[in-house]
C-alpha cells in the first residue's frame, strides 16, 4: 500500500505534529487498540486453542517492547485513547510490567487494561499495580473446579479465588470476569454466574462463542444466544438495563434489584454490533488487523524494521484503517473463517 497521498482517513490539526483521528470508510472513528504481546498460552481453552499442533512465533518474530511502545505512541497520536493488552496469555511475556509502565506513561492514553486467564496474576500483581494497571478482565468459564479444568486444560479455579481476594484487597474492584458460554458444556451455569455477580459485586460478561477456535469445532448450535442468557436470569432475578457508556460498547449491561453486581451480555454472533465498532488490533508479530475476522493484515513490523519514519507509520496505519470491514459476516452464507485463531489475533 502506498504511504503517500490519502488524506481521507486522517484528519490533522497540528502544524509540526499530527493530532488526528482514525476513521474508516463507514465513518467509524477508531479509539480502541488491542495489543497482543504473545501467541503463547498456558491454558488450552476448548473454544480457543487445541491441545497440540499449532505453531508459535519465535522471539524475533514478535514485536519487542521498544517497537510496541513506539507504535503505541503513534496510535495515540492518531486518536487511540484506550489500549488493552492481550494474547495468547499476556502474563507469559517476560517483563510485561515494564512494558505496561511505559504504555501507562503515554500522554493522551486514557485507559490501559488487560485481559488474562489470571493463572499467573497472583505473582505478578504487585508489579502490575506498580506499573499503573488498574483494569483487569479475567477469563472464567466455570465456577466448578472440574469443569473449569475440562474447559481450560488447567486446574485454575482456586487461583481465580485467590486473585479475586488480592484484587479486592488492593482496591481494584469490581473485576470483570469473561465467560464464554458453550451449549452443553457450561450453559447450565448461567444462574450460578448471576449469583456470583450479585454476591461478590463483580461483573460477569457472557460472551457468545465465535468461530475463532483453533480446533474448528465451532457450530452455530453451540452458540448460546445472549437473548437466552438475559431471559434465563431476568425470569428469576429481574434485571435493569444500565445506560451504555458509549455507542461502541460491546456489552449490554444489566444490574440486579438493589443495584449490587452487574452482568454484561456480548451477543457478537446473534446480534452483531459491528456498526459501532471502534476497535483495531495489533498482533504479537506486528500485524495490524482492522477486524477480528479480517482476511487481510497490514505489516507494521515489516515497516518498522525497514526503518520507516513515524510519519510513514502514521500514514500507513491511517491508510489501512480506511479499509476496516463493515462487519464480521458470520451470519452470511459465504462467511470464511479467518486464518488466524483468537489466541494468535488477540481477543
Ligand atoms: N488469555 C487471555 C484470556 O483468556 O483472558 C487473553 C486472550 S483470550 C484470546 C481473550 C478473550 O477471548 C478471552 O476472554 C476468551 O474467553 C475470549 N475468546 C477466546 N476464544 C473465543 C471464541 N472462540 N469465542 C469467543 N470468545 C473467545
Ligand atoms: Fe489461552 Fe485465553 Fe485462549 Fe484460553 S482463551 S486458550 S487462556 S488465549
Amino acid at each position: 500500500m502506498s504511504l503517500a497521498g490519502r488524506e481521507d482517513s486522517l484528519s490533522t490539526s497540528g502544524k509540526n505534529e499530527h493530532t488526528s483521528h482514525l476513521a474508516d470508510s463507514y465513518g467509524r472513528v477508531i479509539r480502541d487498540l488491542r495489543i497482543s504481546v504473545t501467541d503463547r498460552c498456558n491454558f488450552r481453552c476448548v473454544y480457543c486453542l487445541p491441545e497440540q499442533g499449532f505453531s508459535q512465533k519465535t522471539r524475533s518474530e514478535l514485536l519487542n517492547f521498544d517497537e510496541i511502545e513506539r507504535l503505541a505512541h503513534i496510535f495515540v497520536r492518531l486518536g487511540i485513547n484506550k489500549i488493552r493488552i492481550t494474547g495468547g496469555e499476556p502474563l507469559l511475556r517476560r517483563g510485561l510490567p515494564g512494558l505496561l509502565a511505559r504504555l501507562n506513561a503515554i500522554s493522551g492514553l486514557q485507559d490501559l487494561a488487560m485481559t488474562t486467564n489470571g493463572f499467573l496474576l497472583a505473582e505478578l500483581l504487585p508489579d502490575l499495580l506498580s506499573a499503573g494497571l488498574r483494569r483487569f478482565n479475567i477469563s472464567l468459564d466455570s465456577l466448578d473446579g472440574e469443569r473449569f479444568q475440562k474447559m481450560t486444560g488447567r486446574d485454575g479455579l482456586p487461583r481465580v479465588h485467590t486473585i479475586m481476594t488480592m484484587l479486592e484487597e488492593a482496591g481494584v474492584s469490581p473485576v470483570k470476569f469473561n465467560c464464554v458460554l458453550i451449549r452443553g458444556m457450561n450453559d447450565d451455569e448461567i444462574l450460578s454466574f448471576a449469583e456470583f455477580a450479585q454476591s461478590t459485586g463483580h461483573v460477569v460478561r457472557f460472551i457468545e462463542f465465535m468461530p475463532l477456535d483453533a480446533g474448528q469445532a465451532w457450530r452455530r448450535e453451540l452458540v448460546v444466544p445472549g437473548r437466552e442468557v438475559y431471559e434465563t436470569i431476568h425470569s428469576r432475578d429481574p434485571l435493569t438495563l444500565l445506560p451504555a457508556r458509549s455507542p461502541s460498547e460491546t456489552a449490554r449491561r444489566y444490574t440486579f434489584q438493589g443495584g449490587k453486581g452487574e452482568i454484561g451480555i456480548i451477543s457478537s454472533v446473534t446480534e452483531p454490533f459491528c456498526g459501532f465498532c471502534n476497535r483495531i488490533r495489533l498482533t504479537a508479530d506486528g500485524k495490524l488487523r482492522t477486524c477480528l475476522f479480517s482476511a487481510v493484515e497490514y505489516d507494521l513490523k515489516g515497516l518498522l524494521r525497514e526503518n520507516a519514519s513515524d510519519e510513514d507509520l502514521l500514514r500507513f496505519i491511517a491508510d489501512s484503517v480506511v479499509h476496516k470491514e463493515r462487519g464480521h459476516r458470520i451470519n452470511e452464507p459465504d462467511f470464511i473463517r479467518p486464518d488466524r485463531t483468537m489466541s494468535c489475533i488477540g481477543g
Side-chain angles (χ1 to χ4, degrees):
M1 184 189 296
S2 148
L3 298 183
R6 292 186 219 149
E7 293 288 340
D8 47 355
S9 60
L10 182 63
S11 86
T12 57
S13 59
K15 290 194 176 67
N16 300 319
E17 183 171 322
H18 293 284
T19 48
S20 47
H21 67 260
L22 283 171
D24 68 13
S25 62
Y26 300 99
R28 293 171 296 190
V29 176
I30 309 304
R31 298 285 184 206
D32 183 331
L33 172 68
R34 310 276 158 115
I35 301 180
S36 171
V37 291
T38 179
D39 60 347
R40 289 167 194 255
C41 192
N42 45 358
F43 277 24
R44 292 289 177 270
C45 299
V46 287
Y47 50 77
C48 185
L49 274 175
E51 205 45 63
Q52 56 214 357
F54 61 97
S55 69
Q56 292 172 330
K57 302 285 172 195
T58 59
R59 190 68 190 249
S60 65
E61 288 176 290
L62 301 184
L63 291 179
N64 63 40
F65 287 173
D66 289 341
E67 291 169 330
I68 294 176
E69 185 188 13
R70 180 171 171 211
L71 287 177
H73 272 282
I74 292 170
F75 278 110
V76 170
R77 278 179 64 192
L78 284 165
I80 292 292
N81 54 26
K82 173 175 177 182
I83 291 180
R84 174 173 296 281
I85 299 299
T86 181
E89 175 45 43
L91 297 179
L92 288 179
R93 183 78 190 251
R94 198 170 301 162
L96 188 72
L99 174 68
L100 289 166
R102 288 160 76 172
L103 298 181
N104 201 36
I106 297 176
S107 138
L109 184 66
Q110 292 164 13
D111 189 11
L112 182 62
M114 180 173 65
T115 304
T116 170
N117 62 33
F119 199 74
L120 299 173
L121 200 47
E123 296 139 57
L124 288 165
L125 189 62
D127 289 345
L128 293 167
L129 294 174
S130 302
L133 190 66
R134 289 286 176 284
R135 298 227 303 115
F136 299 83
N137 284 33
I138 300 177
S139 292
L140 178 60
D141 299 314
S142 178
L143 298 168
D144 173 83
E146 262 179 50
R147 186 179 282 168
F148 184 107
Q149 180 155 13
K150 202 169 150 205
M151 288 189 73
T152 65
R154 292 303 285 262
D155 178 17
L157 189 59
R159 293 204 187 201
V160 174
H161 288 300
T162 306
I163 198 64
M164 204 163 75
T165 311
M166 287 177 76
L167 286 167
E168 285 164 0
E169 283 170 4
V172 183
S173 195
V175 181
K176 285 185 186 166
F177 290 97
N178 288 347
C179 171
V180 178
L181 286 174
I182 301 185
R183 179 76 70 208
M185 202 167 270
N186 60 350
D187 55 336
D188 58 347
E189 291 193 57
I190 295 171
L191 288 174
S192 311
F193 271 109
E195 270 168 34
F196 171 84
Q198 262 181 309
S199 62
T200 61
H202 293 301
V203 179
V204 173
R205 293 155 30 109
F206 296 97
I207 303 175
E208 288 182 352
F209 179 24
M210 292 184 281
L212 288 166
D213 56 311
Q216 306 229 352
W218 186 89
R219 294 194 313 283
R220 190 163 295 279
E221 310 82 81
L222 296 175
V223 178
V224 181
R227 184 82 217 161
E228 180 180 323
V229 176
Y230 170 80
E231 280 163 5
T232 304
I233 300 174
H234 186 66
S235 59
R236 202 191 62 177
D237 281 319
L239 291 169
T240 306
L241 183 65
L242 293 167
R245 287 171 291 209
S246 89
S248 59
E249 196 160 62
T250 53
R252 272 199 312 277
R253 300 181 305 120
Y254 300 90
T255 189
F256 301 90
Q257 280 178 333
K260 187 174 176 201
E262 180 185 316
I263 61 153
I265 299 180
I266 304 181
S267 306
S268 342
V269 177
T270 61
E271 297 171 72
F273 34 78
C274 306
F276 295 100
C277 179
N278 70 349
R279 284 170 293 286
I280 52 175
R281 291 177 157 79
L282 178 62
T283 65
D285 60 344
K287 306 292 191 306
L288 177 68
R289 291 180 68 96
T290 49
C291 174
L292 260 180
F293 293 89
S294 287
V296 286
E297 296 182 335
Y298 303 91
D299 186 12
L300 280 172
K301 185 183 70 184
L303 268 185
L304 273 171
R305 295 187 183 175
E306 285 160 16
N307 299 320
S309 68
D310 282 5
E311 297 310 314
D312 287 344
L313 289 162
L314 191 138
R315 183 71 53 196
F316 181 80
I317 292 167
D319 279 355
S320 306
V321 164
V322 173
H323 302 288
K324 182 171 164 65
E325 297 76 354
R326 181 202 278 266
H328 62 44
R329 300 179 56 79
I330 298 174
N331 301 314
E332 306 299 322
D334 58 349
F335 169 70
I336 299 172
R337 292 175 63 116
D339 289 340
R340 298 232 249 180
T341 59
M342 192 65 131
S343 61
C344 295
I345 297 168

